[in-house]
Amino acid sequence: MTSTISNAKNWFSRNWFIPVAVVVAAGDLSSVYFGGWSDSDLLEAALLFDFVIVIPLLYWWCYRAKGKGAVVQALALACFAIWATGKVIPREHHEILDSISWLRYVGLAGLLALEIKLGIVVYKAVVFSGQSKDDAQAKFESEGIPPWLAKFMAFEAALWRKAWLFIKRVFSKKER
C-alpha cells in the first residue's frame, strides 16, 4: 500500500501539469457555463489567455527537463488551444479569436517544418550509418519519439537501409 502511495506521489511530482491544467480548464469552462456570455469580450480574452498562454507555459515549466522538446510540445499545445477555444466560444462571440486565428497556422507550419527537418536528419543518420534495428530504435527514442513509433521507424529504416545497400550493390556491379 505504501509503495502505491509512493508511486502516486512520484507520478504527481513528475506530472503535476495534468491536474493543474484540468483545474484551470474546469474553472474556465464552469465560468462559461454558470456566467454565460454577458461580457463576451472579457470572457473570450480570459479563455484565450488561459488556454493559449497559461496552460502551455505550465506544460513547459513541468516538462522543461525535456529541453527543446518541451518548447515544441508547448507550442503545439498553444496551436491546439487556439483551435479548441474556437470550438468552445460561440461563433457570434469570436472577436479576438478571429484576429489571432492566423497564428495557429503559422505555428503549425513551423512545427511541421521542424518535424520534417528532425525526421530527415534522424532518418539519414540511421539509414546511412549502418546501425542495427535496436540501435536505431534507441536513437529514435533518445530524440523524444514515443517507443511504439520508434520501433516502427526503426523497422522502416532497416528496410530502407536494405534497399539502399541493394541499389549500391546493383549499380556498383554495372560499373565494373
Side-chain angles (χ1 to χ4, degrees):
M1 173 105 176
T2 58
S3 87
T4 306
I5 293 171
S6 172
N7 289 342
K9 284 182 182 179
N10 190 19
W11 184 87
F12 276 113
S13 70
R14 286 183 286 121
N15 300 298
W16 56 264
F17 163 76
I18 296 169
V20 171
V22 167
V23 168
V24 169
D28 285 347
L29 296 177
S30 66
S31 71
V32 169
Y33 181 75
F34 293 117
W37 290 97
S38 58
D39 192 5
S40 63
D41 291 343
L42 181 63
L43 192 55
E44 180 186 21
L47 287 173
L48 282 170
F49 181 77
D50 283 351
F51 286 127
V52 178
I53 295 172
V54 172
I55 290 179
L57 280 175
L58 288 172
Y59 181 90
W60 170 78
W61 186 257
C62 181
Y63 300 111
R64 67 188 178 277
K66 290 182 179 180
K68 291 180 184 176
V71 173
V72 171
Q73 291 168 347
L75 179 61
L77 186 59
C79 291
F80 173 73
I82 292 173
W83 174 82
T85 307
K87 299 298 181 190
V88 171
I89 299 171
R91 188 81 190 130
E92 61 270 8
H93 298 296
H94 284 197
E95 304 277 332
I96 302 168
L97 194 58
D98 286 341
S99 64
I100 67 161
S101 63
W102 63 273
L103 286 173
R104 175 175 166 240
Y105 299 109
V106 170
L108 288 174
L111 286 170
L112 182 64
L114 182 67
E115 288 295 325
I116 289 171
K117 179 183 175 196
L118 177 65
I120 290 171
V121 167
V122 171
Y123 217 68
K124 277 183 176 179
V126 170
V127 170
F128 297 120
S129 69
Q131 293 179 345
S132 70
K133 200 175 353 177
D134 294 332
D135 291 341
Q137 182 176 348
K139 180 159 180 68
F140 287 134
E141 286 180 12
S142 73
E143 293 293 330
I145 296 173
W148 65 271
L149 185 57
K151 186 174 184 176
F152 174 74
M153 288 177 70
F155 172 73
E156 185 181 9
L159 289 177
W160 281 112
R161 172 98 179 123
K162 288 177 184 175
W164 174 251
L165 291 174
F166 176 75
I167 290 169
K168 277 178 57 176
R169 193 172 61 238
V170 166
F171 285 109
S172 67
K173 286 182 180 179
K174 285 187 176 182
E175 290 177 7
R176 292 182 186 176

